[in-house]
């Protein structure tokens, strides 16, 4: 299933994901409930492994994946966020269960900064590492990061250019976190 967000006045698609991203016109659609309803409709009409419901998103879709994990942890087994981020204020996210998190983020991203950023007088978003650290707390992991084997994901660069940071110690079942940078 590949849903799309609403269209803003500029004709751009967006999700109302976190306090930072990306309902900049203040329309406040309840995209979390919309997506949950979509999943529930699919479950009602099809045989679905309830342990295998995953959300994947890029940029604003990555922010929305985090929102789905915050609001619907009972339904979401894992998320993969490519250049998105979770809420900067941990009190805005209260997952009821652990959710496996994979954050994929380029260290030189000039749109959604790897290190996080703020728009003055508006809102902030955490960086890639901070996002998985926040989730490791939700998932009750021991605050220990370890490095995994590097990955070779970009054929235009020589060698295994992508580092892996893992948080797996003490996590509740299915609650590990991982960052590919």
């Amino acid at each position: 299933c590949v849903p799309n967000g609403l269209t803003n006045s500029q004709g751009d698609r967006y999700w109302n994901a976190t306090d930072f991203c990306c309902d900049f016109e203040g329309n406040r659609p309840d995209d979390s409930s919309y997506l949950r309803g979509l999943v529930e409709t699919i479950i009602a009409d099809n045989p679905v492994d309830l342990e295998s419901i995953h959300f994947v998103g890029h940029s604003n879709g990555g922010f929305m994946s985090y929102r789905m994990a915050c609001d619907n942890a009972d339904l979401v087994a894992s998320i993969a966020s490519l250049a998105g981020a979770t809420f900067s204020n941990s009190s805005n996210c209260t997952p009821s269960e652990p959710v496996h998190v994979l954050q994929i983020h380029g260290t030189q991203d000039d749109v959604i900064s790897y290190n996080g950023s703020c728009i003055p007088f508006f809102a902030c978003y955490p960086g890639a590492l901070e996002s998985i650290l926040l989730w490791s707390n939700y998932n009750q992991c021991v605050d220990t990061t370890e490095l995994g084997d590097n990955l070779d994901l970009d054929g235009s660069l020589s060698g295994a250019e992508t580092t892996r940071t893992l948080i797996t110690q003490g996590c509740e079942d299915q609650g590990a976190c991982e960052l590919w940078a």
Side-chain angles (χ1 to χ4, degrees), residues 79-97:
I79 66 163
S81 168
L82 174 59
T86 193
F87 287 95
S88 60
N89 182 343
S90 62
S91 67
N92 289 334
C93 180
T94 54
S96 61
E97 298 177 25

Side-chain angles (χ1 to χ4, degrees), residues 151-159 161-162:
L151 302 171
D152 185 4
L153 300 178
D154 187 340
S156 68
L157 300 173
S158 64
E161 78 293 328
T162 301

